[in-house]
Amino acid sequence: MRLIFIGFGTVGQGLAELLLKKKDELFSKYGIDYSVVGIADKLKGSILDPQGIDLAAALKVVQSGGYLYELSSKKFEGEALEMITAVDAEVMFEATYTDIKTGEPATSHIRNALERNMNVVTTNKGPLALYYQELAELAREKKVKFLFEGTVMSGTPVLNLLRETLAGSTVKEVKGILNGTTNYILTRMEEGLSYDDALKKAQELGYAEAVPDADVLGWDALAKVTILAKVIFGAKERPFDFPCEGITGISAADIFEAKSRNKRFKLIGKIWREGSITKASVGPEEVDLSHPLAGIMGATNAITITSYELGDVTVVGPGAGKFETGFSMLVDFINIARE
Amino acid sequence: MRLIFIGFGTVGQGLAELLLKKKDELFSKYGIDYSVVGIADKLKGSILDPQGIDLAAALKVVQSGGYLYELSSKKFEGEALEMITAVDAEVMFEATYTDIKTGEPATSHIRNALERNMNVVTTNKGPLALYYQELAELAREKKVKFLFEGTVMSGTPVLNLLRETLAGSTVKEVKGILNGTTNYILTRMEEGLSYDDALKKAQELGYAEAVPDADVLGWDALAKVTILAKVIFGAKERPFDFPCEGITGISAADIFEAKSRNKRFKLIGKIWREGSITKASVGPEEVDLSHPLAGIMGATNAITITSYELGDVTVVGPGAGKFETGFSMLVDFINIARE
C-alpha cells in the first residue's frame, strides 16, 4: 500500500509513529505492508518519493524543528493539491487544519483524492460536517473507502462501531459529551475554580486554544453532532442550521445550585428523530447524577446510542490526543487494507 | 444465503423475529437475501426444507406451544448433528443450551458445521470457553467465519469491537461487570433488601434461574472472562483454571460499610498480562465510587478495555435479553454476508 500524508502536524505525526511502531505487527497480523510515498505540509515542507520516504527520518527532522526537504527524498514544489494529482498512491491521510465554515482546504484535497481513486482517511471535521453526502457518494462511485473515525471521538470507536458492530440496528437517538475541553472546565468549576481560572488551566494543559471560542461556544461539539446527523440519519443540514449554545453562560453559582438538586451541568450534543425529521442541538443540560453521562469527568468524552434493538449502549473514552487521534487513522487504514 | 437454526429457544426466536422484521432492510442496505432451510430443536421438533421454511409460520407455531413439524416443511427425524451433515447451507446459527463443563452438544454442532465449510454464529459460551483455539483454527483452515459476539455481553459490542474497531490496538487489561443478575442483586441489596429477598426479586423478573448457582457463584462471568482471555491473549486455560468467587459471601452490612468509605461492591471479571503470562479472575471488588464501573446499576453490563494507544475505553449496555442476544447473531450474520 502506497500512502500519502496531507498535513504532518500533531495528528499526522501521531499516526506516523504508530505506523512505524506497528510495522511488523501489521504485516504478521493482517498481511499489510506499506510505503509512504509523499508528505505535504504547509509549514514543514513537502517531499515526494515513489521509492518510499524514510518515515522515521521524516519524524526526526520535523520534531527537531527542521524541514522535510532536508531529507534525501525529492522536494515537492507545489501545493498539497498538486501532489495529490501527481502522486500514485492507494491511501491519502488528510490531517490539515479544520475550518468548519468553509471545509477548505481539506475538502478539495479529499475530493481530488477520491476522484483519482484513492481511499481517504481523515480526522478533519470540516469536510464531513459540510459535504459528507457528496464525498461519500463520490467514494461509492469510485469504489474506494472514505473513513473518518477520528472526527467524532478521536480513537474511541463511534462511527466504525455504528457501521460495523451495530450494523443492522435502528438508531433512535444519540447523545453525548463530545468536547473534552468544556467538560474539563465544568469539572474544575464544580471543584471550586471560577470560569476564567478553569479556562486558564485548560489552556495551560493544551486542552483549550488561546482563542477558545470553538470549544467554549460549542462549535466543536456542533460539528461532531452534524457529522453524526448526516451519517446516521442522512441529514442535509450544515452545522449552524442547528441550535448551538456553549458553556459561557454557566456560572459557578449555577453549578452549585444544580448540585443541590442532584444535577450536574454537561454540554450535551444530541441528535434524534421527530417523525421523518432529524433534530440536533448542542447546549448545556442539567443531567441527573444517576445518568451514566453525569459521571464523565475531566477531558473524557462519552456517547450514548439508543437503538430499538439494544436500548442504551454507552461508549466512554478519550476524545482527543496525538496518539488517540493518530490511532483512529490507523484503524481506518487497517479496515481499508483488509479488504 | 441458506441458513439453519440449531436450537430454537428464546435466542433463536429473537434472531428469527429480527430477520423477518429486517428482511427488506437487509436487502436494500447490504444486498443480503436469505432463506432458512433447516431448524432443529430438541423440544420443538426439527424440519428441513431446501425450498425454504416459512419463518413467520415457524415462530407462530412454537410460540403457541406447537411443534415445528406441524408445518408443511418436511419433518426431520434425527439429531441436530445429522441435520448439519445432511443440509446444504452457508450459515449455521447455534443457540442450544450452554454447558460450560463439557461444551456439548454445541461444540460437536460447531465442529461439524465448520468441517462442512459452513460459517458459524453462536451465542453459546461453552464451546468458546473450552475449545476456542481448536474451533477458530478449523474455521481459518476452512476459510469460513466463526463469530460469537453474543457470548460476552449479548448485543452490546465487545468482541467485534476488539476485532474491527479497535484493530491494531495493544490491549493491557480488560475488566468489567459481566453478569447482570449479580449486579442487579447487589444493587437491590444496597437499596436495603436482604440477599435472599434480592435473589427472589431477580428470579421473579427472570434474571436468575431457580437454581441460581451459575450466576451467584460467578461461573457465568468466569466463562466470559475465559473467552476474553482466549480471544485477546491466546490463553490456553479452561474456566476453572482461573480463581473464581461469587457474591454469596457479601452481606448487607459489608455493602453499607463499604459505602461509608465511598466504595461499592461489584462482581468484577478481569484479564490482564503479567509479562508473557495471562492472568484472569472473577470476584467481588470494592470499586471506588468515582470509577465508571461503580455507576453501573441494575442488570446492565459494562467493560473497560485498557490499551496502550487509547487508555481506558468503557462500553456500557445490556448483557442479556431475547432481542439483545438475537441482535448479536444478526450483526455477526451481516458481517459474514457482507464479505
Side-chain angles (χ1 to χ4, degrees):
Chain A
M1 302 286 272
R2 290 180 304 276
L3 318 177
I4 58 170
F5 283 69
I6 305 299
F8 202 58
T10 311
V11 171
Q13 292 172 40
L15 169 64
E17 290 184 37
L18 287 171
L19 279 172
L20 282 170
K21 203 178 137 195
K22 290 178 178 283
K23 193 167 175 70
D24 294 343
E25 187 189 331
L26 287 173
F27 188 72
S28 65
K29 226 165 143 182
Y30 307 107
I32 300 172
D33 198 9
Y34 68 83
S35 158
V36 176
V37 296
I39 306 179
D41 189 277
K42 237 182 157 54
L43 302 171
K44 299 173 193 78
S46 302
I47 48 176
L48 193 64
D49 193 340
Q51 302 309 310
I53 291 164
D54 181 341
L55 196 55
L59 277 168
K60 206 169 159 192
V61 74
V62 301
Q63 285 172 0
S64 58
Y67 295 94
L68 286 167
Y69 45 72
E70 294 166 24
L71 298 173
S72 59
S73 290
K74 201 172 154 233
K75 180 173 176 178
F76 184 81
E77 313 266 8
E79 296 290 320
L81 208 53
E82 293 167 63
M83 184 184 283
I84 296 165
T85 317
V87 80
D88 182 23
E90 275 96 40
V91 183
M92 173 179 84
F93 296 113
E94 217 291 341
T96 61
Y97 61 93
T98 289
D99 179 334
I100 74 155
K101 298 238 168 79
T102 71
E104 291 300 347
T107 304
S108 296
H109 296 159
I110 294 169
R111 197 181 282 128
N112 275 271
L114 293 173
E115 286 283 4
R116 301 202 63 243
N117 300 295
M118 270 181 237
N119 298 282
V120 171
V121 175
T122 188
T123 55
N124 203 312
K125 289 180 280 287
L128 274 303
L130 295 166
Y131 303 109
Y132 165 70
Q133 268 92 356
E134 175 206 328
L135 298 171
E137 182 51 44
L138 182 56
R140 257 192 304 276
E141 203 178 284
K142 296 291 179 178
K143 298 189 169 48
V144 293
K145 287 217 172 196
F146 174 41
L147 298 177
F148 42 88
E149 177 63 65
T151 54
V152 178
M153 267 169 65
S154 77
T156 304
V158 179
L159 297 167
N160 290 337
L161 186 131
L162 284 160
R163 201 186 56 241
E164 305 285 339
T165 55
L166 294 180
S169 68
T170 305
V171 174
K172 266 200 275 199
E173 184 189 76
V174 174
K175 166 172 175 167
I177 295 169
L178 296 171
N179 180 272
T181 310
T182 45
N183 204 54
Y184 174 84
I185 293 172
L186 292 174
T187 299
R188 297 307 304 259
M189 286 173 75
E190 189 176 323
E191 290 164 17
L193 291 191
S194 69
Y195 172 79
D196 288 336
D197 287 343
L199 172 60
K200 204 172 290 165
K201 201 82 203 155
Q203 284 165 329
E204 280 168 28
L205 287 165
Y207 294 158
E209 316 259 340
V211 180
D213 295 7
D215 288 319
V216 300
L217 298 180
W219 303 343
D220 173 69
L222 180 65
K224 293 166 179 172
V225 154
T226 310
I227 294 171
L228 289 168
K230 284 178 185 291
V231 172
I232 299 174
F233 293 140
K236 299 280 188 294
E237 281 83 353
R238 291 176 159 223
F240 291 97
D241 294 338
F242 296 120
C244 176
E245 191 190 331
I247 61 161
T248 50
I250 303 174
S251 68
D254 295 334
I255 287 173
F256 286 102
E257 195 274 328
K259 207 175 174 183
S260 73
R261 289 182 287 107
N262 275 316
K263 303 274 188 184
R264 181 174 279 150
F265 273 103
K266 292 290 178 193
L267 186 66
I268 299 290
K270 61 185 176 187
I271 63 165
W272 72 101
R273 296 279 258 191
E274 283 182 11
S276 62
I277 299 171
T278 300
K279 299 274 190 169
S281 69
V282 170
E285 285 187 18
E286 291 186 10
V287 178
D288 200 276
L289 281 184
S290 67
H291 191 281
L293 293 179
I296 309 301
M297 304 304 272
T300 303
N301 284 17
I303 200 160
T304 299
I305 299 161
T306 308
S307 66
Y308 287 95
E309 293 78 10
L310 295 177
D312 286 359
V313 170
T314 301
V315 184
V316 184
K322 176 181 179 177
F323 292 111
E324 290 83 350
T325 312
F327 176 74
S328 76
M329 297 187 109
L330 180 73
V331 171
D332 285 346
F333 170 54
I334 291 173
N335 275 318
I336 289 168
R338 268 174 163 182
E339 302 229 337
Chain B
M1 304 284 271
R2 288 179 304 276
L3 318 178
I4 57 169
F5 283 68
I6 306 297
F8 204 59
T10 311
V11 172
Q13 291 172 38
L15 169 64
E17 289 184 38
L18 287 169
L19 280 172
L20 282 171
K21 203 178 137 193
K22 290 176 180 284
K23 192 163 176 75
D24 293 343
E25 188 189 332
L26 287 173
F27 188 73
S28 65
K29 226 164 145 183
Y30 307 108
I32 300 172
D33 198 9
Y34 68 84
S35 158
V36 176
V37 295
I39 306 178
D41 190 277
K42 239 185 156 47
L43 302 173
K44 300 175 193 77
S46 302
I47 48 175
L48 193 65
D49 193 340
Q51 304 308 313
I53 290 163
D54 181 341
L55 196 55
L59 277 168
K60 205 169 160 194
V61 74
V62 300
Q63 286 172 0
S64 58
Y67 294 94
L68 287 167
Y69 45 72
E70 295 168 24
L71 299 173
S72 59
S73 290
K74 201 175 153 229
K75 180 173 178 179
F76 185 80
E77 312 267 6
E79 296 289 319
L81 208 54
E82 293 167 64
M83 183 185 285
I84 296 165
T85 317
V87 80
D88 182 24
E90 274 96 41
V91 183
M92 173 180 83
F93 296 112
E94 217 292 341
T96 60
Y97 60 93
T98 288
D99 178 335
I100 73 156
K101 299 235 166 82
T102 69
E104 293 297 350
T107 305
S108 297
H109 296 159
I110 293 170
R111 197 182 282 127
N112 275 272
L114 293 173
E115 286 285 5
R116 302 202 63 241
N117 300 296
M118 269 182 237
N119 298 281
V120 170
V121 175
T122 188
T123 55
N124 203 313
K125 290 179 279 287
L128 275 304
L130 295 167
Y131 304 110
Y132 166 69
Q133 268 91 356
E134 176 207 326
L135 298 171
E137 183 50 46
L138 181 57
R140 258 193 302 277
E141 203 179 283
K142 296 291 181 178
K143 298 190 168 49
V144 293
K145 288 218 173 194
F146 173 42
L147 298 177
F148 42 90
E149 178 63 66
T151 55
V152 178
M153 265 167 68
S154 76
T156 305
V158 179
L159 297 167
N160 291 336
L161 184 132
L162 285 159
R163 199 185 61 240
E164 304 286 339
T165 54
L166 295 178
S169 69
T170 305
V171 174
K172 266 200 274 199
E173 185 189 77
V174 173
K175 167 174 173 164
I177 295 169
L178 297 172
N179 180 272
T181 309
T182 46
N183 204 54
Y184 174 83
I185 292 173
L186 292 173
T187 300
R188 297 307 304 259
M189 285 173 76
E190 189 176 323
E191 289 165 18
L193 291 193
S194 69
Y195 171 80
D196 288 336
D197 287 343
L199 172 60
K200 204 172 292 167
K201 201 82 204 154
Q203 284 165 329
E204 280 168 27
L205 288 165
Y207 293 159
E209 316 258 342
V211 181
D213 295 7
D215 288 319
V216 300
L217 298 179
W219 303 344
D220 174 70
L222 180 65
K224 294 166 179 173
V225 154
T226 310
I227 294 170
L228 290 167
K230 285 178 186 288
V231 173
I232 299 173
F233 292 141
K236 299 279 188 293
E237 282 83 354
R238 291 176 161 223
F240 291 97
D241 294 338
F242 296 121
C244 176
E245 193 190 330
I247 61 161
T248 49
I250 304 173
S251 69
D254 295 335
I255 287 173
F256 286 102
E257 195 276 327
K259 207 174 175 185
S260 73
R261 289 180 288 107
N262 274 316
K263 304 274 188 186
R264 181 174 280 150
F265 274 104
K266 290 292 180 192
L267 185 67
I268 298 291
K270 60 183 176 187
I271 63 164
W272 70 101
R273 295 280 259 189
E274 282 182 13
S276 62
I277 298 172
T278 300
K279 300 272 191 172
S281 69
V282 170
E285 285 186 20
E286 290 186 9
V287 179
D288 201 275
L289 281 183
S290 67
H291 191 282
L293 293 180
I296 308 303
M297 304 305 271
T300 304
N301 284 16
I303 200 160
T304 298
I305 299 161
T306 309
S307 66
Y308 288 95
E309 293 78 10
L310 295 177
D312 288 357
V313 171
T314 300
V315 184
V316 183
K322 175 181 179 177
F323 292 110
E324 291 82 350
T325 312
F327 176 74
S328 76
M329 296 187 109
L330 180 73
V331 171
D332 285 345
F333 170 56
I334 291 173
N335 275 319
I336 289 169
R338 267 174 163 183
E339 301 230 337

